[in-house]
């Protein structure tokens, strides 16, 4: 690394110890304007001069240019190091001239590019996932496998974000070492640093005032105070968790959404109290890599309770499950069935058994799709919704209110 003379105040004091942080998993979270992205961009630049190869990712590729890319470029210029780097904007690659180490950029929506990205020399030593709460757990797990190969440096996976809801996978994966009210925690492999605008001495006075005067309670908690909250644009807020007795009123309903490798198979056992408009979720199954035979064994204890509504997109699986003795039938679905089903479910009260952890996570994360400018669209996102889909299938007949006119298809085995 070339000999550099940097002023002691080139980054905020709170981040200085983390220039040499070598924990495998590093979490930098908190409020808006805390300077965490500026610090991490600066560290990437200095790390490249040391020989580290870093991949910087965001959920959508086109957002990189206006965020992480710009932060890294500004860090290079701010430190007066422009002559030490070759910047290829067309390839989204920044290369250190002294050793060939690179800073690479990619969006998680460009799977093929992610697969093919590799530094020109040496192994990938660092991954920085910016705005990590936008990314899926599967993305994190796949990227984590990319940190392999011989290197004199310890591998590091860094996540930075403003916190959202505690049911998020990041909270589940890493925050078991965290204590509310603290600003730092670490274990042998994980470090977590929380910062807010108060830690950023470079923040403009008007930006500071805007954060302090925020009126929206959710935005104040998350973006001003940097606290975990409840997602502001979640679709379902009409649910709660409580113990459910065996004598709970209502009619039994069951739904099944198929999955195998990348998506899990999801099953729900419900009771629906039509008069009170309450849906009681008694139990769930949510597993990957289930063959139809394995699935049938898990579902058989429920077979005596009634028929199971399934995703009609897999008629072969439905036929096989029926041959194995399960009372399954295809849901109708049809045009606008997802939006109609979601809107209907929003009008009910959802009461979840404490054992239904995966459904709780889905309900906490399920949001409307966004347009290019971040505005909500009247269409639910199509991810992390396997148990929600199973719930829609289970209650499809109730939504359509067809029973009084055509009878119950379950009784006919259809």
């Amino acid at each position: 690394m070339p000999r550099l003379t940097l002023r002691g105040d080139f980054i905020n004091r709170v981040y200085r110890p983390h220039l040499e942080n070598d924990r495998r998993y590093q979490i930098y979270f908190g409020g808006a304007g805390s300077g965490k992205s500026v610090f991490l961009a600066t560290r990437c630049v200095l790390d490249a001069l040391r020989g580290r190869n870093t991949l910087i990712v965001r959920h959508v590729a086109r957002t990189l240019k206006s965020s992480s890319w710009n932060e890294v470029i500004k860090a290079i210029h701010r430190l007066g190091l422009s002559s030490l780097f070759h910047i290829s904007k067309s390839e989204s690659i920044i290369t250190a001239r002294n050793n060939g180490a690179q800073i690479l950029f990619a969006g998680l929506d460009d799977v093929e590019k992610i697969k093919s990205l590799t530094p020109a020399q040496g192994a990938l030593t660092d991954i920085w996932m910016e705005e990590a709460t936008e990314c899926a757990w599967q993305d994190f797990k796949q990227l984590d496998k990319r940190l392999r190969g011989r290197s004199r440096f310890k591998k590091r996976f860094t996540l930075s974000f403003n916190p959202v809801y505690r049911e998020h996978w990041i909270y589940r994966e890493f925050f078991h070492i965290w204590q509310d009210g603290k600003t730092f925690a670490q274990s042998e492999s994980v470090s977590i640093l929380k910062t807010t605008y108060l830690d950023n001495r470079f923040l403009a006075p008007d930006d500071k005032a805007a954060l302090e005067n925020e009126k929206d309670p959710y935005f104040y908690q998350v973006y001003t105070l940097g606290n975990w909250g409840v997602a502001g644009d979640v679709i379902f807020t009409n649910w709660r968790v409580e113990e459910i007795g065996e004598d709970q009123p209502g009619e039994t309903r069951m739904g099944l959404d198929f999955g195998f490798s990348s998506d899990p198979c999801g099953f729900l056992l419900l009771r629906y109290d039509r008069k009170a408009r309450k849906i009681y979720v008694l139990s769930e199954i949510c597993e990957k890599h289930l063959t139809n035979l394995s699935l049938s064994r898990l579902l058989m204890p429920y077979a005596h309770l009634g028929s199971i509504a399934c995703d009609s997109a897999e008629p072969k699986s439905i036929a096989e499950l029926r041959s194995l003795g399960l009372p399954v039938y295809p849901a109708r679905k049809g045009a606008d069935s997802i939006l109609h089903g979601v809107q209907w479910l929003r009008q009910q009260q959802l009461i979840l058994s404490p054992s239904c952890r995966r459904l709780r996570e889905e309900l906490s994360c399920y949001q409307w799709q966004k347009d290019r400018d971040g505005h909500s669209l009247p269409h639910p996102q199509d991810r992390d919704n396997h148990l929600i889909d199973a719930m829609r299938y289970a209650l499809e007949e109730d939504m359509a209110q067809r029973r009084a006119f055509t009878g119950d298809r379950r009784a006919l085995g259809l």
Side-chain angles (χ1 to χ4, degrees):
M1 178 176 177
R3 186 174 183 84
L4 300 177
T5 302
L6 300 173
R7 292 176 51 183
D9 60 354
F10 74 99
I11 58 170
N12 285 298
R13 183 183 300 274
V14 69
Y15 296 114
R16 290 180 193 173
H18 296 271
L19 285 170
E20 305 296 334
N21 189 345
D22 64 358
R23 293 298 192 277
R24 168 75 179 203
Y25 303 105
Q26 301 186 22
I27 311 294
Y28 298 92
F29 84 105
S34 64
K36 51 188 176 292
S37 295
V38 174
F39 158 66
L40 290 171
T42 303
R43 190 174 75 168
C44 281
V45 171
L46 297 177
D47 284 343
L49 294 175
R50 293 188 179 102
R52 283 184 171 273
N53 291 305
T54 301
L55 170 63
I56 302 177
V57 298
R58 283 194 66 170
H59 179 57
V60 179
R62 66 181 181 81
T63 61
L64 279 165
K65 290 292 185 183
S66 59
S67 58
S68 308
W69 172 270
N70 283 346
E71 289 293 357
V72 172
I73 298 299
K74 287 191 290 186
I76 291 172
H77 295 323
R78 184 173 60 252
L79 297 172
L81 305 177
S82 301
S83 63
L84 300 182
F85 288 92
H86 172 71
I87 299 171
S88 175
K89 189 171 184 179
S90 60
E91 295 180 299
S92 297
I93 297 176
I94 299 172
T95 305
R97 297 184 188 276
N98 67 309
N99 56 27
Q102 293 183 318
I103 305 173
L104 312 168
F105 298 78
L108 296 175
D109 54 339
D110 191 347
V111 178
E112 294 306 315
K113 183 175 181 181
I114 289 285
K115 289 180 180 178
S116 62
L117 267 180
T118 184
Q121 58 186 46
L124 189 64
T125 62
D126 288 78
I127 294 177
W128 170 20
M129 181 181 278
E130 172 72 311
E131 300 296 347
T133 51
E134 298 176 352
C135 306
W137 180 81
Q138 291 88 344
D139 295 328
F140 163 74
K141 297 301 288 186
Q142 289 297 322
L143 285 170
D144 197 26
K145 296 176 182 177
R146 294 290 307 276
L147 287 174
R148 61 181 185 271
R150 292 183 177 276
S151 174
R152 62 190 176 93
F153 299 103
K154 286 189 176 181
K155 308 297 193 328
R156 303 183 304 188
F157 200 127
T158 299
L159 300 92
S160 61
F161 55 90
N162 300 118
V164 282
Y165 34 85
R166 291 178 185 265
E167 288 77 9
H168 197 280
W169 65 265
I170 295 176
Y171 195 91
R172 298 197 318 268
E173 188 85 11
F174 296 109
F175 276 72
H176 55 279
I177 66 172
W178 186 253
Q179 293 182 22
D180 287 336
K182 302 292 186 180
T183 58
F184 180 69
Q186 68 179 0
S187 65
E188 187 175 338
S189 60
V190 178
S191 72
I192 304 176
L193 178 68
K194 175 186 176 183
T195 53
T196 69
Y197 72 100
L198 295 174
D199 295 298
N200 186 3
R201 67 183 187 83
F202 301 110
L203 193 66
D206 57 336
D207 293 329
K208 180 179 178 180
L211 288 165
E212 292 177 337
N213 297 325
E214 176 59 59
K215 302 301 182 185
D216 184 282
Y218 171 77
F219 285 99
Y220 186 78
Q221 282 294 319
V222 171
Y223 295 104
T224 302
L225 302 182
N227 294 328
W228 291 90
V230 177
D233 198 29
V234 292
I235 293 174
F236 293 107
T237 58
N238 56 324
W239 61 277
R240 64 181 186 271
V241 177
E242 64 181 46
E243 295 289 346
I244 301 174
E246 296 181 359
D247 58 347
Q248 204 66 54
E251 301 175 37
T252 299
R253 301 285 183 262
M254 291 181 283
L256 175 65
D257 184 49
F258 292 109
F260 186 72
S261 57
S262 59
D263 293 328
C265 183
F267 167 82
L268 287 181
L269 170 65
L270 319 169
R271 288 191 67 80
Y272 179 47
D273 185 344
R274 188 192 314 272
K275 185 175 181 179
R277 300 171 72 86
K278 289 183 178 180
I279 300 168
Y280 297 92
V281 187
L282 306 178
S283 62
E284 67 178 30
I285 296 172
C286 193
E287 294 186 24
K288 293 182 180 180
H289 305 294
L290 290 176
T291 64
N292 286 334
L293 180 59
S294 300
L295 177 59
S296 69
R297 290 169 179 163
L298 292 176
L299 296 180
M300 198 56 70
Y302 302 94
H304 70 285
L305 298 175
S307 298
I308 304 171
C310 305
D311 183 358
S312 59
E314 293 203 26
K316 184 177 180 181
S317 293
I318 293 173
E320 187 169 350
L321 290 177
R322 294 183 75 173
S323 71
L324 293 168
L326 286 169
V328 296
Y329 70 94
R332 280 195 180 93
K333 295 169 70 169
D336 297 324
S337 61
I338 296 177
L339 182 58
H340 170 71
V342 165
Q343 296 289 24
W344 186 87
L345 288 172
R346 279 159 54 92
Q347 298 169 32
Q348 319 298 311
Q349 296 181 57
L350 310 181
I351 298 95
L352 281 58
S353 165
S355 64
C356 297
R357 180 181 61 85
R358 293 294 297 272
L359 178 59
R360 186 164 71 246
E361 294 169 3
E362 287 191 11
L363 292 171
S364 299
C365 302
Y366 198 44
Q367 301 189 39
W368 301 108
Q369 293 180 26
K370 303 288 194 301
D371 63 17
R372 292 176 60 87
D373 298 318
H375 301 132
S376 295
L377 299 171
H379 307 290
Q381 64 183 11
D382 187 22
R383 69 178 188 185
D384 301 324
N385 56 349
H386 312 293
L387 291 171
I388 292 173
D389 284 347
M391 188 186 304
R392 288 194 299 106
Y393 302 149
L395 295 159
E396 185 185 62
E397 298 286 339
D398 301 284
M399 298 175 192
Q401 297 182 340
R402 294 186 176 112
R403 278 189 168 76
F405 306 98
T406 64
D408 185 352
R409 289 194 299 159
R410 295 176 177 86
L412 302 176
L414 300 175

